Structures are given as C-alpha cells and as structure tokens.
Amino acid sequence: MNTIQEIQTEIIEDFAMFDDWMQKYEYLIDLGKELSPIEEQYKTEDNLIKGCQSRVWLHAEHTKGKIIYTADSDAIMTKGIVAVLINVLSGQSPSEIANAKLDFINKIGLKEQLSPTRANGLVSMIKQMKIYALAFNN
Amino acid sequence: MLDINKIRSQFPILNRKVNGKDLVYFDNGATTQKPQSVIDAEANYYTDENSNVHRGVHFLSGLATDKFEETRDAVQDFIGAKHKHEIIFTKGTTDAINLVANAYRILLSKGDEIIISELEHHSNIVPWQMCCEISGASLKVIPLLDNGELDMNEFNNLLSESTKVVAVSHISNALGTISPIEEIISKAHKIGAKVLIDGAQAASHIALDMQKLNADFYCFSAHKMFGPTGVGVLYGKEEILNKLPPYQGGGEMIKEVSFEKTTYACLPHKFEAGTPNISGVIAFKQAIDFITELGVATIAKYEDELLQYATTEILKIEGVKIYGTAKNKSGIISFNIDGLHPYDIGMIIDKMGVAIRTGHHCAQPIMDRFSIPGTARISLSVYNTKAEVDVCMNAIKKAKLMLS
Ligand SMILES: Cc1ncc(COP(=O)(O)O)c(C=O)c1O
C-alpha cells in the first residue's frame, strides 16, 4: 500500500496531463462511474454529509488497523470527487488519515474548478472522513 | 419593438467573460444585473451627496432626504399606491414579509388560521410558521396541481371564518407560475381576511396597480428588478399599517421617547427604524425609471417570446422534463434531464459561460411535491436574447453528452 503522500503525488501527476477543464471533468465523471457502490443499508440520513448541494453518503469501517471508506452521491461529478478522496484515504490507518495534509486538492485545481458551495461540500467531506479517523483512533 | 442591443449596452457586466466565454446570464430569478444608471447613482451618492436622511438641518442632509423621498414617490407611481406613506422601505422581500408576519404574532391567537401555498419561497413560509408558533394560529397550505398551478378548489375549501391572513406569491420563483391573485384577494376579502402578496418575481414583469388589485400588503425586492441589493418595499394599505404594531424600535421611528412612555412616528417612519440603505434607495429610482421607460408590458411581451422560444428548444433535447407548465407563466424554465443530476448540468454549463441556478430554489416543499431533489432553472430577463438561448441549449447538450 502506498502512503497518502505517494498517492497524492500520483494524482497530481495524473491531473497535470489534462490541458483543459473538459478533460478534467470527464476524468472525474469516469472516476464517479467506477466508484464501487456503497451498500444500500448505509445510505441513511445519518450518513449524509451536510454542506453539499447534492446528496453524499459516506460510510467507514475499521478493519485490521485500516479504515475502509465507501460512499455514493446522486450527482456524478460529486461522486468523482469523493472517489478521488477515497483513493487517497481509504485503506490507511486512522492516525495517518487524521494527520494527513491534503494539499493535492489545490494542486490539481479542484478547488478553483469548483463553485463555492461545492468547495464547501468538499471541506465537509474531508472533515467527515477525518472525524471517522479520530473516532477509530481512540 | 425593443432595441435589445441598446438595452444590453446599458449593462456593463454583460460584456465580461466567464471562464473565457461570453457570459450568458440566465439566473435573473436570483437577481438581475444592474444598468449603468443604477451603478452611477450609487457611486454618485457617496461621491457627492452622502449624508444621513430625515434628521439634519444642513444642505447635504436635505439633498439626501429629497432624493431618498423621490424614490418613494417613484415607487408610489410605479405600483399605483394611493398614498406615498403606504410605501415602506425594507431590506428586501424577506424583510417586508417578516415585518408583517411579526406584527401578526400579536394580532392573531389560537383558532385563527393563515393560508399560504405549496408554491411559496421559504421567505413566505418560515415567517408565518414563526408567527403561528408564537400566536397559536395554525397554518393551512393551498396544494399544487401537477402543472404547477394552485389548486383553487382547495383554496375555496380552506377559506373559512377562521382565516385571518392569506399570503401567496404573485409569481413562483421555482416554477414560473403566475397565480390568480385577483381572485384570491377578492375571495379572501369576502370572509374578512387580509392578503399579503409576495411580488418578488413579479414587480418587473407585471404592471402593478395597488388600488385596482386591492391587496392589503405587497412585497418586492429592488435587486430582482435591476436595482441594488439590500432594498425592498413593503406596500400596505394605510388603515392597516396604522393598526400594526411597530417592527423594530430605534431612531427615526419615534415621535417622543421617555422612559415612561414612547410614542411612535407616523407612517412610513414608524416602520423604518435606523439609518436605511440610503444609496440603495436613491439608486433604486434609476431602476424604476429604466423599467418605466421600456414599459412593463413591453418587457413582459419580449420575455414571453423568449420563454416560448427557450421552451420549444429545450424540449427538443431528449429526456428533458419541465416542471411548471401553467397556462399563465413567467420567464422561468425549471427542468431536469432523465438520469442526470441538475447540479452536474449546472457545473458543466458554467464552464461554457452559462449561469443558471440549480437546487431547490429556496422552495423545498415544491421539490417534495414532485419528489425531486431539485431542478436546473433558467430565468430570463429583458436583456437576454435568442442567440443566448441557443448558446445555453448547446451547452446543455454538451453537458448531457459528457454525463451520459
Ligand atoms: C418568490 C420570492 N419570494 C421571496 C424572495 C426573497 O427575496 P429577498 O431575498 O430579496 O428578500 C425571493 C427571492 O429569491 C423570491 O423569488
């Protein structure tokens, strides 16, 4: 398993290949489509993340010292962004997740590409992922 | 015939690029753009006229007061109010509705009923819920038909001796439905209820005549009719406004203050506590002049043509469903595309310079009514063109291709 930092570097390299927003968006849409589905039982009101215009469900499980995240969204672009976050964080240990510096977001131009409400949603998603990590760390 | 190029040339923002593309601004329901005259009036106030109103003896204060009051005259003319002091300046529609709903917390009691509709913006729902919570009155809701019109049979059934207030919107911001407020007003008056009309979406689209319409209250926002943000109007009939308790206490709204007893100023000042948005109110007059010069009926006719065109074009895109197909409808198209989330559509066409709104449009009950999380909404204004509609349609088609 690569470290969070290594995965971030890879993602930054991937996004550097795109020349325009359309390729970036198409890539996110593809990632969204490929994201393995969350189990229906976890698509609950409790697992909804606040602050997103579209609905995002996030579930986390702690097994063998690692956190496995699954998620879904009714908007495909949002799902693509969730997929990127899951690629970076899922399968890592709680303490690594809790302490992760996610600087890839600014470097791949995700934040600037996204509208303010969406950027807030992104912040909420990361926050929720870290809250799980802190909870499992105790 | 309107000279659209000439109109467009008055709106400097329409020349700017967004994401490298010409801006196509189709979010006029949220707020309209401002003509140069409005922008200049705001700047000119601070450059040349700044002073507080209604209180100074000096030259500038007199000047600012005169200009401030000129807008009140202009609003009176614009909506055909009987008296100038029936025009209360507020922060906007929301503020105007809250002013009235707040007063009714005191005037209503258990057993009384307030009727609103399923079509309302949250700002014509929540203040009434708060009013009910405190007064003990209960809230009744006129349901919607599938085409987005009010179910007027149900309205008739809801009306009773207990009805004290009916509060409905003139035009729905989420669906574009124009409601039959004349009928609502006359029926409500027959049983002695007062009527508040939320005219936020209507004031620049429908010619208003308060004396003919006979509404007890009519509310609207300057920023949705080419004017500045932070300015709105509450029109109320003199005899009713006189009976309402004041809203906020402070400077300007008093006659005499002592610790034993304070008496309140006359209309309109009784409801205008504190220093108002002076520059905004002054600039608002330019917006009204802009509308009157073109003529509300002429604007409406042009917007209607655009609406027909945009509706025909969007229905050519496979999988499009329009929410709100009332016979009487204003320049708003609320839509979804089969299998796509409105947010994805909005995000992608934004990249092509097209600004629309997505989401629940502050009208969640409507979305619940149609069992959808939200819609994408195109809302048109007089400076928009068929060519812009074409750009928008192509952008939507491209988004659809990317997303499916
Ligand atoms: C129908 C309707 N009512 C009320 C409002 C609230 O107006 P404001 O935010 O200017 O107070 C809006 C604005 O979106 C509206 O469309």
Side-chain angles (χ1 to χ4, degrees), chain A residues 7-68:
Chain A
I7 302 171
Q8 289 199 67
T9 310
E10 254 171 55
I11 292 176
I12 294 166
E13 282 167 11
D14 282 351
F15 273 83
M17 295 186 317
F18 304 133
D19 331 307
D20 63 9
W21 69 269
M22 232 168 100
Q23 292 177 349
K24 245 184 232 181
Y25 274 29
E26 274 169 347
Y27 182 62
L28 283 173
I29 291 167
D30 286 342
L31 287 179
K33 285 181 183 160
E34 286 160 12
L35 180 67
S36 27
I38 190 173
E39 281 180 53
E40 268 317 301
Q41 59 177 357
Y42 298 129
K43 283 172 86 167
T44 59
E45 199 67 27
D46 280 348
N47 282 341
L48 268 179
I49 293 176
K50 312 254 166 347
C52 304
Q53 240 201 61
S54 48
R55 287 185 296 174
V56 180
W57 295 268
L58 178 71
H59 172 70
E61 261 169 48
H62 192 202
T63 45
K64 299 186 193 126
K66 314 272 183 208
I67 300 181
I68 307 297

Side-chain angles (χ1 to χ4, degrees), chain A residues 119-134:
Chain A
N120 286 336
L122 187 66
V123 171
S124 317
M125 272 185 236
I126 295 169
K127 199 166 145 199
Q128 192 53 45
M129 292 175 107
K130 291 204 167 200
I131 287 173
Y132 274 123
L134 287 171

Side-chain angles (χ1 to χ4, degrees), chain B residues 29-30 92-95 121 123 169 171 173 198 200-201 221 223-224:
Chain B
T93 307
T94 305
D95 192 30
H121 188 280
S123 60
S169 52
I171 297 180
N173 66 304
D198 169 356
Q201 293 294 335
S221 301
H223 73 93
K224 292 184 196 284

